[in-house]
Amino acid sequence: MTGTPALDALLASITAAPDAHALFADTSARLRRITPFDAAVWVATDPVNGLTTAPVRVENLHEGGCGTYWESELFAEHVNLFRDLAVAKVPVAGLREVTGDRPTLSPLYRGFMRPRGFDDELRAVFRADGQPWGQLSLFRERGRPPFRAADITLVQALCTPMAQRLRAFGLPAVTPPSAATAPGLLLFGAGGELLSLNDEARDLLAEMPPGPAAPTPLGIDLPLPVWILNTAGRARLTGAASRIRVRTTAGRWLVCHATCLRDAEGRTGTTALVIEPAKPAEVAELIAAAYELTPRELEVTELVARGLPTADIAARLFLSPHTVRDHLKSIFDKAGVTSRGELVAKLFTEHREPLAAPTTVRVLDAAS
């Protein structure tokens, strides 16, 4: 399969994609022509924990199917888990291939696929340097042949290039100030329903990129993106804090973190989700990854940001000063800077448009 004109064109389009939305749309259209499928879910993930973030592209899932898919994946699925594929030697698997043509072993098949006429799923994790940057589900309807080895090999060829392109979109951008003046807060009930939210949450939700969403029950035209619902749902059902980073339509990074609230008896019920602008340090690793810094180069960069001189960095990392200088040269080249100050500014400083300069008013005196 490698080296065919169709695959070569597909890989070239991945490298040239201008943004993640275009990446998913174009890759899906081209891939469908090589290995047909009837529905798909393309997802960007937070590389730290593999949780769903923006953007998300859903194709051919109608009549509530999207919501059922997310619920099954989060809380029931035990075949081909994305977290298992993220660390597998081959990060691609077909449901029928893995189960020996016994798909009913999968709760996702029983509760989601079979009722909608889907007979097989191929899923993949887009990973680079051990980090998951995205994931994919492809579905085939009943009557089509199942996904087999050739399909797995084809999609596997896309996994690293897709991850590298998604990673590249983390480069910093100059963004205008946000309309929100404080953190946004959303409260969810025991069943996952939205109970209330503040005005700042509305402002920040309005900055979210387009994607699959669910309507709110509060009588407002404000759908909740699937990555918000997933983050809150994971915290609600696992009892553990859940956190993702999302890039807005303006290029600004937001942090969404959810946690369960407990009453006086220690019982959980309400889940609180906070959305706020990400601090520079919270996205520095994403920006560093976009510049393709190695783990060691990132360690050196973090110590540079703390103001340590070369000798102290060498001592901390058990390296020679010469090796540290070599790392710094590589870091400067990758980030396109020429000094430590420029490097820190690029990775650890918020990139916002300057406020408009005050208007100069010329006062004419009586003699004019």
Side-chain angles (χ1 to χ4, degrees):
M1 186 69 67
T2 302
T4 65
L7 179 56
D8 290 344
L10 176 51
L11 293 173
S13 73
I14 290 172
T15 302
D19 56 56
H21 291 280
L23 173 67
F24 286 165
D26 190 50
T27 303
S28 188
R30 291 174 179 271
L31 180 61
R32 190 190 294 265
R33 292 195 289 268
I34 304 174
T35 181
F37 53 89
D38 300 295
V41 182
W42 299 79
V43 176
T45 57
D46 191 307
V48 171
N49 50 33
L51 297 184
T52 298
T53 185
V56 172
R57 179 180 176 84
V58 175
E59 301 175 358
N60 258 0
L61 296 182
H62 307 298
E63 299 178 0
C66 184
T68 306
Y69 168 84
W70 296 114
E71 184 176 339
S72 298
E73 173 57 34
L74 271 174
F75 312 129
E77 179 66 14
H78 63 74
V79 178
N80 290 345
L81 285 169
F82 282 116
R83 64 172 175 266
D84 293 336
L85 289 176
V87 296
K89 182 177 180 180
V90 177
V92 188
L95 177 59
R96 284 187 169 273
E97 187 84 0
V98 166
T99 61
D101 281 327
R102 293 182 295 166
T104 53
L105 294 175
S106 164
L108 181 66
Y109 179 85
R110 299 193 304 268
F112 168 76
M113 292 173 58
R114 185 167 56 185
R116 290 166 177 80
F118 297 129
D119 205 44
D120 197 15
E121 179 203 26
L122 183 148
R123 57 174 50 185
V125 171
F126 305 140
R127 69 185 183 197
D129 296 326
Q131 290 185 308
W133 292 87
Q135 60 195 39
L136 168 66
S137 284
L138 301 178
F139 298 98
R140 281 183 177 168
E141 294 177 349
R142 195 170 295 117
R144 283 189 180 271
F147 294 104
R148 292 307 189 197
D151 304 300
I152 292 172
T153 299
L154 170 63
V155 174
Q156 183 183 0
L158 308 182
C159 286
T160 299
M162 287 290 292
Q164 290 171 335
R165 195 63 187 143
L166 287 168
R167 181 175 66 183
F169 297 136
L171 291 175
V174 177
T175 60
S178 173
T181 57
L185 176 64
L186 299 91
L187 294 178
F188 294 86
E193 71 281 8
L194 179 65
L195 301 177
S196 62
L197 74 168
N198 62 5
D199 290 339
E200 288 77 12
R202 298 175 190 239
D203 290 337
L204 291 168
L205 286 171
E207 297 182 21
M208 295 284 181
T216 67
L218 302 181
I220 56 176
D221 184 18
L222 187 69
L224 292 178
V226 65
W227 48 87
I228 294 292
L229 295 173
N230 278 9
T231 303
R234 187 174 291 270
R236 174 172 58 89
L237 291 187
T238 65
S242 185
R243 176 178 175 273
I244 62 169
R245 291 162 292 191
V246 178
R247 201 162 196 182
T248 69
T249 53
R252 180 183 305 104
W253 285 101
L254 301 176
V255 173
C256 307
H257 41 97
T259 186
C260 291
L261 304 181
R262 300 181 182 273
D263 60 21
E265 284 74 38
R267 295 171 300 192
T268 60
T270 305
T271 300
L273 185 141
V274 175
I275 309 174
E276 57 186 345
K279 298 178 178 63
E282 291 176 309
V283 294
E285 62 183 322
L286 296 179
I287 297 173
Y291 285 120
E292 300 186 21
L293 301 187
T294 66
R296 178 64 85 187
E297 288 171 347
L298 180 56
E299 287 180 321
V300 171
T301 301
E302 290 171 342
L303 294 177
V304 167
R306 292 167 60 181
L308 272 65
T310 298
D312 289 353
I313 294 174
R316 289 287 188 96
L317 301 180
F318 302 101
L319 301 172
S320 71
H322 177 74
T323 300
V324 171
R325 284 189 287 271
D326 284 344
H327 282 310
L328 284 171
K329 182 180 183 303
S330 175
I331 293 166
F332 287 0
D333 289 343
K334 290 179 179 180
V337 299
T338 58
S339 70
R340 295 183 179 215
E342 284 184 70
L343 177 67
V344 172
K346 206 159 195 178
L347 268 65
F348 295 92
T349 303
E350 295 180 82
H351 299 264
R352 294 183 178 176
E353 288 182 356
L355 296 174
T359 302
T360 301
V361 178
R362 183 182 178 193
V363 180
L364 301 180
D365 61 23
S368 300

